[in-house]
Amino acid sequence: MQPIVSLNNVVKEYRLGNVSVPALRGVSLEVYPRDFLSIAGPSGSGKTTLLNLIGCVDTATSGAVQVEGQDTMNLSDRELTNLRLNTLGFIFQSFNLVSVLSVFQNVEFPLLLQRKLSRRDRRDRVITLLEQVGLASHVNHRPNELSGGQRQRVAVARALVTQPRIVLADEPTANLDSVTGNNIIDLMKSLNEKSGTTFIFSTHDAKVMSHANAVIQLADGKIVDKNGPAEASLKQVAEVR
Amino acid sequence: MGGHFLVLVRLALRNLFATKLNIIIGVIILVGTMLVVVGGALLDSMDASMSKSIIGSAAGHIQVYSAKSKEELALYGQMGGEPDLNAIPDFSKVKSALETLPNVKTVVPMGISGALVTSGNTIDVALERMRALIRQKQRHGASAELEGQIHSQKDYLRQILRVLQSDTKKRELIVTERAIEPENVAALQQASSEEFWRNFDRDPLNSLEFLENRIAPQASDADLFYLRYVGTDLEDFQKSFDRMKIVDGQIIPPGRRGFLFAKYFYENQLKLKTAQRLDKIKKRYIELGKTIAANPEPKQWIKENQAQTKEIILQLDRIKTDQAIERLQRALGSSETDLDALLRHLFDINDANFNQRYQTFYEQIAPLLELYRIRVGDILTIKAFTRTGYVESVNVPVYGTFQFKGMEDASLAGNLNLMDLVSFRDLYGYLTSEKAEEIKKLKQVAGAESIDRADAEEQLFGTGRTVVAEATPGLIDDNQAFTGGARALRREELIRRVYSKEEMDNGVALSAAVILKDPKKLQQTIRDIQALSEKEHLDLKPISWQTAAGLIGQFVQLAKYALYVAVFIIFIVALVIINNAMMMAAMQRVHEIGTMRAIGAQRTFVLGLVLTEIIVLGLAFGTGGALIGTGIVRWLNRVGIPAPNDWFYFFFSGPRLHPWLTPGNLIAALLIVLGISSISTLYPAFVATRVAPVRAMQTEE
């Protein structure tokens, strides 16, 4: 099976004035369709940087990042944007909903950017997804009228509305209480199983990690461990205790 | 594009009131649009009104004048007097040529010039009358009636002398002795003495000469005024400038010589000053609901009226003085017997008694006076320098006064008087055929001969001289000197003569007003006239009414530019403010824009987002501003903006400007405001497109 995402010896350095700060120091990784992959590690280990590179919102200093077989290093801004629009979905730590738009309009937004579906089809797609995330009764609410969990569900629906092959989630539960966080992970897991969408999410919560079918451990910009889900969760749980 | 546009507009509408910044920008746009709408309407209305004034009062749509002129035509004068124009030698040729053009309705000949005219002072007038009476007595012998008239006139002269003497005494109180000429005082004393008047009958002409030379100059009420006039074909003029209305008297009969005073000039230059001041208080204060008590200007006028009662007293002989005293005693309930004191009492005016005193003046005193220095029906003598520099004078009867409807108080239009074209040509120094005839006759009568320059010396001073006759002293009898044709051309005859249309048209004009059928084709017609002039060698220079208005046209243009500059500066400031505000707004939304970019929005989408927002903002608040502006203009149209002074009467084409709004004003205002808003948002929009998608990942603070 072909990997849907592959990273080969990827290095990412940030420049702070004259000093270059390494964020990733030679990361190689392959992600396969239907994976529910967790990227774990302490703060500053490079989790977000790795997600940014896979999500095509940032480019590597060296090495190769391939998403759906395309080398992102060679793509223009316009092509990268199209890739993000059509192939990737994003769930953010702080939800990042457009505050002036309603729940329905937030979810519809990527479809409007795509300009592929008719008004009717867009509506069907959005309503179906909102039903799946359990917010069918909140279509006309504004984000500020929703709880944190509800907002993140809207974000999940928005990430999935274009039927992307990969959904990236950066600490999706960090701003939520544990029960709500678990619900979100359950939701993501069920969508992963139902639609076969690949999920890559970063977290430092061991409980969240335990849902993953693979866990990448990062430390100081390097992968220190690749595990199957069972070992990972056991190990994390042990570390936490 | 449909989906994009939908979401852009949706976002823009939702964002409209989302932040305080947008409200600030909105208010700037609202006020800006309002200013542009109101300012534009005011400027356009004023422009239209002023063009109406200029076109309707003298200029017509186009003025043509000789292309050989050294200076440019300036209908309302220029710095340093009238412009130096070459004449159009044969007006009829120009008229018939121009009237072949399809858009030309009429061509009216014109010449603008001016002259200083003196109106003799009161003493001069009284002395002149006395001299006439004495001549009559010398010629036809004394009669009881004549003696009575001479006696009464003598009384009047002595009355004037008394006024002058008391005036000198008053003056002695306020100025040092040295400022008063001792000879003047002595002359006045001599003229007032009983002895002088006892001797008067013995040598009346010498006595009169003494009074004329030594006393008359001491009366300071003689006036020198500058008279500007248009010499024109009055019949055509009245037809072409149909806002012209006769106020007093009548229109000059066709083909006659005559003069019409502009009513404004007549009221402001020729009316008794005391009456003028009363009129001004009434018009500028009482009628406008302002009080005398609260304003220094009317108080000053009242003081002047009280101090300058001489102007009235000098006009009254003994009989009229007694009448005036009696009337004033009755009206004021006073037992005072001195006219000066009574008049000062009459002019002691305040808000409570104004109407009553005004009425008393006009009903009781004015009928005893000459209210105007020149009356309708008088013969006006105008002396002017001709183009070649000698002095020419004409006598023209004053037929009446006129004004342009709606411009009654416009000083610019109101200082231009009207004269017949023939008199104008005389003053201009143009040799008309009748003048040539007159000179010929004069030469015949005087026995003048033409002498060749070469043998002039021999003819004049040589031994065989023939041309110089011995002079014999004797009386010159006008009746004998002018016989036949020459005599017929003397004053009375000239005034009575009727000139044919051909005589009017054949001859010089300084310029001509061209009235168009379709004023919108003005520029095209100017080009047509130019082409025609070149083709037929007419040597004409056609200019628009605006150019012809000279300084005035330029002044209004300047005012317009000044306003444009002010509006421009306001816009620059608005531009900077909007730019800054939009910049801040973009910075505030970095996270949101980053998120959109991460989700898949292209840079062009972000650009469209910011621009759509400003356009929606501009449309929403701009429409609001335009509506408020429309309301203001409507209100101004209803109440009218009062002209602050007589100059503005001309710009406003009436006492009030009632500005109106055209759809063009509104569209222009909205376009300008949208343009400014969009331009000021370009940079913030560009900055917004540079927001990296990775900014979405950074946790919102």
Side-chain angles (χ1 to χ4, degrees), chain A residues 229-240:
Chain A
E231 306 101 286
S233 66
L234 284 174
K235 196 170 176 186
Q236 268 319 104
V237 171
E239 270 172 24
V240 169

Side-chain angles (χ1 to χ4, degrees), chain B residues 287-351:
Chain B
E287 281 178 359
L288 298 179
K290 293 188 205 167
T291 61
I292 297 170
N295 292 288
E297 200 176 42
K299 281 192 212 145
Q300 178 61 31
W301 289 332
I302 289 166
K303 256 190 220 157
E304 283 170 12
N305 273 356
Q306 285 185 294
Q308 293 170 27
T309 51
K310 193 177 76 181
E311 196 185 32
I312 293 171
I313 297 171
L314 276 178
Q315 274 204 29
L316 303 173
D317 60 19
R318 175 160 290 178
I319 300 162
K320 284 182 178 167
T321 304
D322 288 344
Q323 278 178 322
I325 290 170
E326 192 219 312
R327 288 179 185 188
L328 284 176
Q329 281 175 339
R330 205 166 357 102
L332 300 170
S334 165
S335 56
E336 175 65 58
T337 52
D338 179 34
L339 181 58
D340 182 37
L342 280 167
L343 284 171
R344 274 189 277 126
H345 184 180
L346 174 70
F347 295 135
D348 184 12
I349 287 173
N350 54 45
D351 288 297

Side-chain angles (χ1 to χ4, degrees), chain A residues 52 57 77-78 81-82 84-85 90 92-94 96 98 100-101 105 108-110 112-113 115 142 158, chain B residues 1 4 7 10-11 14-15 591-592 595-605 693-694 696-697 699:
Chain A
N52 287 350
V57 297
D77 180 74
R78 176 163 284 274
T81 306
N82 278 331
R84 290 198 297 273
L85 177 61
F90 287 87
F92 305 93
Q93 182 179 342
S94 44
N96 294 22
V98 180
V100 294
L101 296 181
Q105 287 164 344
E108 190 193 21
F109 185 74
L112 288 170
L113 291 177
R115 287 187 274 179
R142 292 289 195 91
R158 180 177 67 184
Chain B
M1 193 61 209
H4 266 194
V7 75
R10 185 185 284 167
L11 277 167
R14 289 293 172 95
N15 269 323
H591 195 250
E592 187 182 302
T595 303
M596 289 179 184
R597 291 280 285 130
I599 290 173
Q602 296 286 2
R603 282 186 173 148
T604 48
F605 177 86
V694 71
M697 301 297 175
T699 311

